[in-house]
């Protein structure tokens, strides 16, 4: 749907920008500018109609590009509208611009056009880099309830948590291979995937090169997945089968003891499954004296429930860190945090911004990531 939204919104944004840009450019450049806008819109509209029937890298790049242009156009539109609002306010108050000479006004329009072009190119570059070059965030967590006061922890476990890979048209096999290598380079004891490993269509996940990459995810204590909301959008059974195809274990409201260790791992089904097991029921099945208790849940819907539970660390994804500014404000309003770590009593909640992105490889105001936790007790 994001491709449809991008084409429909550009249907309204391009005429506005063409009108404003045409006020600055000469007649010849104006025709070139309008022609470019029309060509881009026509190509992306045609691609939208046929992209589901052409599964090729060039088509994926084309559709990805349509979303890049849409979002960067949104930022440009915000700049142009903002300048016009300031011009209107000036006309009602100080009248600096309103009383300026025609030559000064023309230079102001040219400057606005240059700034808008810089914003367009800059946000495209930034949006691309923020996805394609994920960061690794390291954190140490001492489970104090299992560590006698005054003593040093005796056990250590390294887990790597990633979420929101969104395998699909935008997240190419090459990127997935690099993401897997980044995870393996951390030498994890345990690898955890927090859901939304599929974007919309399972067919992209079954690409031989994608399967080969995910099958190379290996850790001594195993690889565990939970489902996210995107896994429910297309072929749920195919998405569930994919986990076993890559040699991992899927947890759906269930408990595991990775590598027969002292660690207890809870994996919750996503909240879109209205019949999932209540958190309290799962928590009552856990023996907190056994060792650390880690819970994965794709959507951070149970944050307020872990305060009196045996969970020591809750790992979530889903938010993408807002993905595209000012989306961070909406995420914060919904969950109380956008991404990062947050203490809940003696427990810790971690919301990852995810290693991929939905719809297109585009992020502004956040960056793709994996989380590396060293647990001590």
């Amino acid at each position: 749907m994001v491709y449809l939204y991008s084409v429909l919104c550009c249907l309204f944004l391009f005429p506005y920008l063409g009108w404003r840009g045409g006020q600055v450019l000469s007649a010849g450049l104006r025709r070139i500018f309008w022609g470019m806008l029309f060509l881009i819109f026509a190509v992306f509209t045609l691609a939208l109609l046929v992209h589901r029937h052409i599964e090729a890298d060039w088509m994926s790049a084309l559709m990805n590009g349509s979303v890049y242009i849409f979002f960067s156009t949104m930022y440009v539109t915000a700049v142009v509208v903002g300048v016009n609002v300031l011009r209107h306010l000036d006309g009602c108050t100080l009248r600096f611009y309103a009383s300026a000479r025609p030559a000064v006004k023309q230079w102001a329009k040219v400057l606005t056009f240059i700034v808008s072009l810089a914003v367009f190119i800059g946000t495209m570059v930034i949006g691309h880099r923020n996805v394609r070059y994920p960061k690794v965030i390291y954190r140490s967590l001492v489970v104090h309830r299992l560590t006698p006061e005054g003593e040093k922890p005796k056990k250590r476990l390294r887990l790597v948590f990633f979420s929101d890979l969104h395998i699909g048209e935008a997240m190419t096999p090459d990127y997935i291979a690099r993401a897997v290598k980044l995870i393996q380079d951390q030498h994890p004891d345990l690898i955890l995937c927090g859901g939304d490993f599929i974007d919309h269509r399972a067919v992209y996940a079954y690409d031989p090169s994608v399967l080969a990459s995910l099958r190379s995810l290996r850790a001594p204590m195993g690889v565990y997945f939970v489902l996210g909301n995107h896994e429910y959008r297309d072929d749920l059974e195919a998405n569930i089968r994919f986990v076993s195809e890559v040699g991992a274990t899927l947890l759906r409201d269930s408990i595991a003891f990775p590598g027969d260790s002292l660690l207890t791992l809870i994996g919750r089904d996503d909240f879109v499954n209205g019949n999932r097991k209540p958190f309290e029921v799962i928590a009552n099945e856990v023996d907190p004296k056994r060792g650390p208790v880690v819970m994965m849940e794709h959507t951070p819907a149970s944050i307020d429930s872990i305060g009196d539970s045996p969970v020591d660390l809750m790992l979530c994804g889903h938010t993408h860190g807002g993905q595209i500014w000012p989306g961070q404000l909406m995420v914060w309003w919904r969950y109380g945090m956008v991404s990062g770590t947050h203490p809940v009593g003696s427990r810790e909640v971690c919301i990852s911004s995810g290693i991929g992105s939905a719809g297109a490889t585009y992020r502004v105001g956040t960056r793709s990531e994996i989380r590396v936790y060293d647990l001590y007790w």
Side-chain angles (χ1 to χ4, degrees):
M1 293 298 289
V2 68
Y3 303 126
L4 176 61
Y5 297 153
S6 66
V7 171
L8 289 177
C9 287
C10 285
L11 176 64
F12 297 97
L13 297 180
F14 278 12
Y16 175 73
L17 294 177
W19 169 48
R20 286 300 185 188
Q23 295 178 328
V24 177
L25 301 173
S26 64
L29 291 177
R30 185 185 308 130
R31 285 193 292 269
I32 294 174
F33 182 52
W34 288 350
M36 289 177 58
L37 292 177
F38 176 79
L39 179 62
I40 290 170
F41 181 78
V43 169
F44 288 155
T45 300
L46 179 62
L48 175 66
L49 298 175
V50 301
H51 79 282
R52 288 295 176 92
H53 305 288
I54 303 176
E55 293 171 11
D57 290 343
W58 64 267
M59 178 58 78
S60 296
L62 183 61
M63 299 310 297
N64 207 21
S66 72
V67 183
Y68 269 59
I69 288 176
F70 159 59
F71 284 120
S72 290
T73 301
M74 289 283 286
Y75 286 118
V76 170
T77 304
V79 170
V80 174
V81 170
V83 168
N84 284 315
V85 169
L86 291 176
R87 188 182 66 175
H88 176 73
L89 292 175
D90 172 75
C92 298
T93 55
L94 302 176
R95 300 188 61 80
F96 286 145
Y97 177 83
S99 60
R101 291 176 296 158
V104 173
K105 290 183 178 181
Q106 183 62 23
W107 273 109
K109 291 178 180 179
V110 172
L111 180 61
T112 300
F113 185 86
I114 293 173
V115 170
S116 299
L117 185 61
V119 168
F120 180 76
I121 296 174
T123 52
M124 289 188 74
V125 172
I126 292 170
H128 175 80
R129 290 185 59 84
N130 280 347
V131 175
R132 291 295 181 177
Y133 299 94
K135 59 184 176 180
V136 181
I137 300 178
Y138 299 92
R139 185 165 177 80
S140 297
L141 179 64
V142 177
V143 184
H144 291 288
R145 68 177 182 82
L146 298 174
T147 306
E149 188 174 354
E151 295 186 15
K152 292 184 177 180
K154 298 178 180 179
K155 298 181 178 64
R156 171 189 172 276
L157 182 152
R158 168 165 284 195
L159 66 85
V160 173
F161 175 67
F162 73 97
S163 69
D164 300 277
L165 182 56
H166 287 278
I167 300 170
E169 289 172 316
M171 308 309 298
T172 62
D174 173 68
Y175 177 80
I176 293 167
R178 290 194 292 113
V180 168
K181 184 179 184 302
L182 182 65
I183 293 168
Q184 292 295 145
D185 285 347
Q186 310 312 312
H187 306 292
D189 298 309
L190 176 66
I191 297 175
L192 304 177
C193 174
D196 274 9
F197 46 91
I198 305 294
D199 191 23
H200 287 286
R201 300 181 66 204
V203 63
Y204 289 96
Y206 284 90
D207 180 291
S209 57
V210 173
L211 284 170
S213 294
L214 269 296
R215 284 169 180 162
S216 65
L217 278 178
R218 288 292 178 264
M221 295 173 61
V223 182
Y224 291 83
F225 281 54
V226 293
L227 298 176
N229 56 300
H230 273 250
E231 276 74 56
Y232 281 90
R233 290 188 175 185
D234 182 32
D235 189 339
L236 178 61
E237 293 306 316
N239 295 334
I240 290 174
R241 187 171 66 253
F242 175 78
V243 178
S244 60
E245 288 279 352
V246 300
T249 301
L250 179 65
L251 299 179
R252 299 183 71 185
D253 292 335
S254 53
I255 298 172
F257 305 99
D260 295 326
S261 67
L262 298 178
L263 176 74
T264 299
L265 177 63
I266 302 172
R268 294 206 72 192
D269 206 342
D270 191 63
F271 86 108
V272 297
N273 179 4
N275 296 320
R276 67 174 182 168
K277 188 184 295 185
F279 172 69
E280 295 76 12
V281 174
I282 302 174
N284 289 335
E285 299 173 1
V286 173
D287 179 8
K289 297 179 182 179
R290 177 185 175 92
V293 180
V294 176
M295 183 174 80
M296 275 198 300
E297 178 177 351
H298 175 67
T299 304
S302 301
I303 290 178
D304 297 334
S305 304
I306 71 166
D308 297 323
S309 76
V311 174
D312 298 301
L313 173 64
M314 179 180 181
L315 301 170
C316 305
H318 183 63
T319 69
H320 296 204
Q323 185 161 333
I324 300 171
W325 189 88
Q328 289 82 355
L329 299 177
M330 292 181 286
V331 173
W332 180 84
W333 177 80
R334 175 66 179 84
Y335 298 110
M337 61 184 294
V338 180
S339 63
T341 57
H342 180 73
V344 178
S346 60
R347 281 80 172 167
E348 181 162 299
V349 171
C350 170
I351 300 180
S352 173
S353 65
I355 196 170
S357 60
T361 53
Y362 190 101
R363 286 176 178 259
V364 174
T366 183
R367 189 173 166 189
S368 58
E369 67 179 33
I370 63 172
R371 295 268 172 172
V372 179
Y373 263 93
D374 288 316
L375 298 182
Y376 295 92
W377 73 98

